[in-house]
Each structure stands twice: as C-alpha cells, then as structure tokens.
Amino acid sequence: MGRLLDGRYRVEGRIAAGGMATVYRAVDTRLDRVLALKVMHPSLAVDGAFVDRFIREAKSVARLSHPNVVGVFDQGTDGTYVYLAMEYVAGCTLRDVLRERGALQPRAALDILEPILAALGAAHRAGLVHRDMKPENVLIGDDGRVKVADFGLVRAVDTHTTASTGSVLGTVSYLAPEQMEHGTADARVDVYACGVVLYEMLTGGKPHTGGSAAQILYSHLHDDITPPSQLVPGLAPELDELVAAATARAPEARPQDAVALLARARSARALLTDAQLDVVPPQAREAAAADEERTDVIPRPAGVQLPLPAEDEAPLDRTSRLEMPPADPPPADGRTTRLRPVRPEPGAAPADRRLRQRRITTIVAAVLLVLGIGTGVWYVNVGRFTHVPAVLDMTQAKAQQTLRDEGLGVKVERGFSANVQRGHVMATKPGTGERIRGNGTVTLVVSRGPERVAVPDLAGTPLADARRKLRDLGLVPGTETRTFSDEVAKGSVIRTDPAAGSSRRPDTAVALTVSRGAPVDVPDVVGKAREDAASALRQAGFQVRFADQPVFAPQDKDAVARQSPGAGGTLGKGDTVTLTLSKGPEMVTVPDVGGKNTADATKALTDLGFAVTVDKPFLFPQDSVASQSVAAGDQAPKGSTITIRLKGAL
C-alpha cells in the first residue's frame, strides 16, 4: 500500500486476491484517474508461461472495445512486479449478488445474462474464447452496468484450441465436458458456462455438485442438467429450453457462440409474460428483509435542524418575558395632553364606562398570561414527549411500521433468545411505556433465536418443507445434492450435513441430500419412431424432451438418431430423457475416380464421408481405378461404402 508502481500508479487499497494475482485500487498520477491494478504474485513472475498468459490477457482485451468488457489501459513490469492497469468498476460481483439474494427472478437473471453474452459475443467474433466464465468474473457497477472481467485464460480460437500444457484451466463447476475430456475449447465452452451461470441465477445453486472435484467432473460428463423448473415452480418452459440448449453435453447441440445464444435469450424473453418474468424462486431471500438489514448500517442523510434542549432543560418561554404596558402611557414629548369631551353612553356615566373597560382588559391579559405560562410548563414536562408503544413479540417489519406511525425513528439490533421466535422483537430501548421525545429513536432488539440450534431430523421431508423448517429455526438451507434412493420418495430429504441432532449456531448452512427416487435403467429407443420411442420412455416413468434440431443419421427420417442419457444409463422416475430425431442419411454426390491411383481415389471418397474398399484383380493388378461400385454423379448416403476396382494387366 502507498507504493508508486512504475513511477506512475499509486496503490491505495486491495480489492481482491486470487491464485494468480492481486487486484488493487490505484490512481494514475499522470492522468489523475482511478483504476484497478492487477499485479501478478511475485512467486509466479519467474514462470515464463504465467507471464505470457498474463500479457496475453492485456493484448487480447485491448483488441476488444465493448461497453460490457472491462478495459485494459496498460501493461508493464516494475522489478519483480508484472501488472495490468485496468478500468475500475465500483460495485460488486455477480457472486456477491447471488450470495446475498440466493436466486433471482427471471427478469433480473436475463437483464444480467444479456450484457454478459454481448461482451462474450464481441470476443467470439474477434476470435477469442474467455474459458473461465463464472459469477466471480461478472462485475455489476453501482450504476447498474454489467461487465465481464478476467480474460486471463483467454485463447485465440484459430491457434490455441487445446491446452498446450496438458492441464485443464478454469473453474470446475463451469467447465464444458469437452474441456475436461479432451482439453479442447472453442466459443461453445463459454456458451456452456453461461448456461450454468443462468441456471445458478434462476435456482440459487450449481447444477452439478459433489463431495469432490472428481464427482463434479463425472457429473458434467455423464449427467444432463436438471431443468430449473423442477426447483422453481412456475418457471417458464422457454427458460428450461434456454438452459438445456446452452448446457448440452454435445458441443454441436449448443448455439455456436454467445451471439447465437443472445439471440435465443432475447427470443425467449419476448415470449414470456410479466408474470413469468417476475416469478419469485423459492431459493430467493426476501428483499424486504435485506432492506431492513441495510437500515442497520446505512446512515440516513442528516438534515439541517436546530439543536434541541436536553430533557432536563426548559425551552425559552417567551410569554414569561411579556410585560403589561400602562393603560394610559404619557406622551413621548412629556407635554400634557388636552382631553376632548366624550359623549356619554345613554344610562352610563363616563367614569363607570372607563373603569369597566380597564377591568376587562386586565382580566383578558391575566388569562392570556396564565395560559402562556401553563402551555410552556405543559410542553416542558409533557407535551414534547410521547410513550414507547408496545411492540414486544411483533415481527420486525410490523414493529418498525408501528413506531414510524407514531413519528418515531427506528434502529435495529439483534440478540439471541431461547424464548422469543426468530425475527420477533425481544426488547426495546427505551422500554415499553417509557417517555421519549416525539421525534426520538427507538432501538428494536430482534431475536436471532436460541444461541445454539439443534439440526432437525428432516429424513423423508419434502424439500420445500425442509427448507422452511430450517429457516424457521434460524438455519440456512445449504447446498443440495441429489442421489438415488429406494426408500425415500423423490424430492424428499435423505439426510443432512451436519447430521440431525447436531448443535449449531444460527445462520449455519445445512447441506441437504435429496432423493432422486429409485434408480431406473433407461431403455434403448434409438432407431424407433418418434411416438414409439416417447411411449416406451413414458411407460418406464421418464419425461421426454426432443432436441430442437434433427441430425443426419443412418436411421430413417423422424426416427430416433440418439438419446441422452444413452441406453443402460440410470435416472430417477420423472427425470428427463432427451431424444434427437434423424433427418435420414445425408446424400452425397459420388465423384468420378476412374483412372486415379488408389491413394488419390481413396482420399477423394473419404473426404466426402464415404468408406472405401479396394477390389484388386488376382493377377497383375495395376494402381489405376478401372471402375467404381456407384457411378460418378450418382448420390449415395454419407458413411456408406464404395468399392473401387483396379485394372489388371490381362
């Protein structure tokens, strides 16, 4: 901190640290602007491969000029420090948002997804692949702008499509199957990662979970992602289809790049109603509660007010300083005033009338004086105070509203209580009925529940009920792992971690293992007609989904070309099997290979997708094609076998 890096960048504070570099907030002293300084750890600066990757990020992002990409201004070296000077985005990451909110409504999820795809689309069209898309690399500025950061694993599509070191770089939960299995990466690995991010925004959890990285890798390779609607009732099927398309395990089944996925996302949004866009996921945390929490730490803007006297001080009583003026003041110049005669009222003597007027004036002045003094005394002792209303055992929201209706301010503190339900008021400061200024502030002490909570036995409890029971006790529903069970109904809890009966503090996360039901083998329906295949799968207890695009295959048109999972795979009842239909065999025009040598003829045919067999005469074969089994210019199914016959010497 405080170092002037490269004679230009003054480091002011640390923003974040990762395995490869630390990001600092800094000031460019030449241009007088705030920026983010990404400094490689000195222990890695001696590794040429890491330095090359670091510099590659600067050069790659410098090629992009897009409002949703964090810009790179400069790259340099100062002694053992290798750094990037980047755009500073004041705000938070998408991971911070998900950690606070749990899950997002579809409208918010799409509002974040679309600028992410726009940024990646610009990279893909520039020939670059990000390769490490995840919520931590999505920045959301205080002004609402969404930007993609950390192109540290970026590769050029045309020159570096495999991991040169033999290792797979990236974050395991967001890696596409082909990255893990073959080490290959094109634009579709970013599409896959964006599908996983969308799933996480909609459901609040990752689609593939496990106790180890190996389990997560296995799930990526062998399991399709569960439709988000199974976790979010009422979620539109268009969003299920969008997630399924982006996260298809076969790369060719995904949109070709982020631009194509963005088009599909916008098309899906256009089909959704306002009600579908505003569905609240069960995993979402209440926004009102979050706002109430925020009032504890975010100060209100101070207004300009006159200072109030202390409770034991009386305010200045202006009425006590008034003096009764003389009834007949003398003239200002001291001279005697000549009195003019006044016509007397009938029946009253002039002296009596003046005396009566003086008495009335004196009485009115005395009454006003007494009222003024009495009002002042009342205000000092009673009028400026009110009493704290009874709000004990109310919910926090109701208690706050009750106090505000009385014109009182509210602060919130939290404490443990074995008797008062979590989220209810256990005490107030001042106490109920005590005096407080009419514009004073009451502190609510809200219960966090018991200081130690026993994890309940949730075995056999439906998932939604299990989450509710945990929240009611002050515990937090944690990660959810799904596994087969012959004994527990599908969608119900098998066990918890920590185990039932364990004692934990409030707000501790409890992981849930949820039943997928009894395992069922997936039947083989490849080659069957569409309806026959669907009927066979439904009879076995599965849901059926058809892929959007049919493919060329040896099977008849509209028959099943492939299924996912394949025959012999295991799913729970109610899980989905995806079927891809055949467009029939692809017909290809056969070229004329007559007179060519064997190698050239074979290459010409295999380049078009044919298999080739060579028929040689028994005696004295020559390396020249005499004939072919399918005539030149005719069409044959791609993948079929063509026989070429060689000339003989006789």
Side-chain angles (χ1 to χ4, degrees):
M1 304 301 174
R3 181 188 179 98
L4 191 65
L5 196 64
D6 211 6
R8 176 173 183 176
Y9 303 109
R10 186 176 65 249
V11 179
E12 294 193 335
R14 191 173 72 167
I15 298 173
M20 182 172 167
T22 300
V23 182
Y24 298 92
R25 184 179 183 273
V27 173
D28 183 344
T29 58
R30 294 183 191 172
L31 300 180
D32 193 22
R33 64 177 174 183
V34 177
L35 45 74
L37 211 60
K38 184 173 183 179
V39 182
M40 177 186 287
H41 298 326
S43 60
L44 299 177
V46 297
D47 188 326
F50 275 100
V51 174
D52 289 345
R53 187 184 309 136
F54 205 69
I55 297 174
R56 184 169 63 246
E57 174 181 3
K59 293 181 178 179
S60 299
V61 182
R63 293 168 53 186
L64 300 176
S65 178
H66 194 277
N68 299 114
V69 174
V70 175
V72 171
F73 303 142
D74 189 14
Q75 185 276 322
T77 302
D78 183 353
T80 60
Y81 297 107
V82 181
Y83 68 87
L84 301 180
M86 306 184 300
E87 175 185 3
Y88 175 72
V89 180
C92 63
T93 68
L94 177 55
R95 173 62 66 211
D96 297 326
V97 174
L98 294 176
R99 189 178 294 115
E100 178 183 353
R101 294 297 185 185
L104 307 179
Q105 293 172 279
R107 187 189 303 275
L110 292 173
D111 286 345
I112 294 172
L113 178 68
E114 290 181 9
I116 293 174
L117 295 176
L120 292 175
H124 292 170
R125 293 301 163 93
L128 303 173
V129 183
H130 190 287
R131 298 202 311 159
D132 194 24
M133 272 309 305
K134 55 186 176 183
E136 287 80 356
N137 287 337
V138 178
L139 305 184
I140 301 177
D142 291 338
D143 57 0
R145 290 182 301 161
V146 177
K147 288 179 175 282
V148 176
D150 201 352
F151 278 72
L153 301 183
V154 74
R155 290 283 192 183
V157 177
D158 53 351
T159 58
H160 296 281
T161 56
T162 60
S164 59
T165 64
S167 62
V168 178
L169 297 173
T171 305
V172 66
S173 292
Y174 305 90
L175 290 180
E178 63 269 24
Q179 283 178 283
M180 306 176 197
E181 194 168 18
H182 307 296
T184 59
D186 60 14
R188 291 171 295 187
V189 304
D190 289 346
V191 169
Y192 183 92
C194 288
V196 176
V197 171
L198 175 58
Y199 178 98
E200 192 171 356
M201 288 193 288
L202 294 173
T203 67
K206 299 182 179 68
H208 297 294
T209 58
S212 66
Q215 291 176 332
I216 298 174
L217 291 173
Y218 183 88
S219 183
H220 274 280
L221 292 171
H222 299 282
D223 295 333
D224 286 337
I225 286 180
T226 303
S229 61
Q230 292 192 14
L231 300 176
V232 184
L235 194 68
E238 288 83 359
L239 295 175
D240 278 349
E241 293 172 3
L242 186 62
V243 171
T247 59
R249 285 188 288 136
E252 59 271 15
R254 298 177 214 141
Q256 64 180 3
D257 58 17
V259 176
L261 182 58
L262 176 59
R264 293 188 65 159
R266 288 176 173 168
S267 298
R269 180 196 279 263
L271 298 175
L272 302 184
T273 64
D274 286 341
Q276 289 173 316
L277 286 168
D278 295 328
V279 166
V280 179
Q283 300 82 358
R285 299 190 181 94
E286 290 293 334
D291 292 340
E292 291 167 5
E293 294 283 353
R294 193 171 291 113
T295 62
D296 299 350
V297 295
I298 299 179
R300 298 178 181 177
V304 178
Q305 299 181 352
L306 295 175
L308 293 174
E311 292 185 7
D312 57 350
E313 293 179 0
L316 178 64
D317 186 355
R318 293 181 181 275
T319 61
S320 65
R321 296 191 178 185
L322 295 177
E323 298 179 356
M324 297 293 293
D328 293 308
D333 57 5
R335 292 178 298 172
T336 303
T337 303
R338 179 177 295 180
L339 299 178
R340 291 182 297 174
V342 179
R343 186 182 300 274
E345 296 181 2
D352 293 340
R353 182 172 57 81
R354 287 196 298 272
L355 180 60
R356 185 167 60 250
Q357 289 175 342
R358 287 183 179 181
R359 287 176 178 173
I360 292 173
T361 302
T362 301
I363 291 170
V364 170
V367 169
L368 291 175
L369 179 60
V370 170
L371 288 175
I373 295 173
T375 300
V377 172
W378 173 85
Y379 177 79
V380 170
N381 293 282
V382 179
R384 62 174 175 161
F385 291 97
T386 186
H387 295 279
V388 177
V391 294
L392 295 182
D393 209 30
M394 286 186 182
T395 63
Q396 178 181 335
K398 184 177 179 181
Q400 286 177 313
Q401 188 59 51
T402 300
L403 294 173
R404 287 168 181 155
D405 289 345
E406 295 291 331
L408 298 169
V410 183
K411 289 176 61 178
V412 176
E413 294 178 359
R414 300 189 183 275
F416 296 107
S417 173
N419 302 315
V420 180
Q421 183 179 346
R422 177 182 172 88
H424 287 230
V425 176
M426 55 189 284
T428 62
K429 303 175 186 177
T432 301
E434 293 185 19
R435 289 202 316 168
I436 185 174
R437 283 198 183 98
N439 61 350
T441 297
V442 176
T443 299
L444 296 177
V445 183
V446 179
S447 172
R448 297 180 62 187
E451 190 166 2
R452 301 292 292 183
V453 180
V455 177
D457 185 357
L458 300 175
T461 304
L463 181 58
D465 292 342
R467 293 177 183 141
R468 177 180 53 77
K469 289 181 179 180
L470 290 173
R471 292 191 184 102
D472 288 346
L473 290 171
L475 298 171
V476 179
T479 58
E480 295 171 4
T481 303
R482 297 179 181 270
T483 187
F484 295 113
S485 173
D486 293 321
E487 300 174 353
V488 180
K490 181 178 180 179
S492 295
V493 174
I494 300 174
R495 57 182 173 273
T496 61
D497 183 15
S502 301
S503 178
R504 292 293 185 272
R505 293 180 66 87
D507 301 318
T508 298
V510 177
L512 301 173
T513 300
V514 184
S515 173
R516 296 179 63 182
V520 181
D521 291 336
V522 179
D524 186 1
V525 296
V526 173
K528 290 187 176 182
R530 174 190 176 111
E531 295 306 324
D532 292 343
S535 177
L537 290 170
R538 291 188 181 110
Q539 287 179 5
F542 301 115
Q543 301 281 342
V544 179
R545 177 186 174 275
F546 289 95
D548 294 338
Q549 298 296 331
V551 296
F552 288 111
Q555 291 80 11
D556 293 338
K557 187 176 184 299
D558 292 332
V560 176
R562 57 174 176 256
Q563 64 184 75
S564 179
T570 303
L571 292 176
K573 281 195 174 183
D575 287 348
T576 300
V577 178
T578 301
L579 301 179
T580 302
L581 299 180
S582 171
K583 294 167 65 173
E586 182 178 1
M587 302 303 291
V588 180
T589 301
V590 178
D592 184 2
V593 296
K596 295 181 179 291
N597 59 41
T598 304
D600 291 344
T602 299
K603 184 176 186 308
L605 293 168
T606 55
D607 285 349
L608 294 174
F610 295 113
V612 179
T613 60
V614 180
D615 185 6
K616 299 180 182 180
F618 183 70
L619 296 174
F620 309 111
Q622 296 184 1
D623 191 17
S624 177
V625 176
S627 62
Q628 54 194 78
S629 59
V630 179
D634 290 349
Q635 288 194 324
K638 189 174 182 178
S640 61
T641 300
I642 295 179
T643 302
I644 56 176
R645 298 179 182 85
L646 301 182
K647 294 179 181 180
L650 299 178

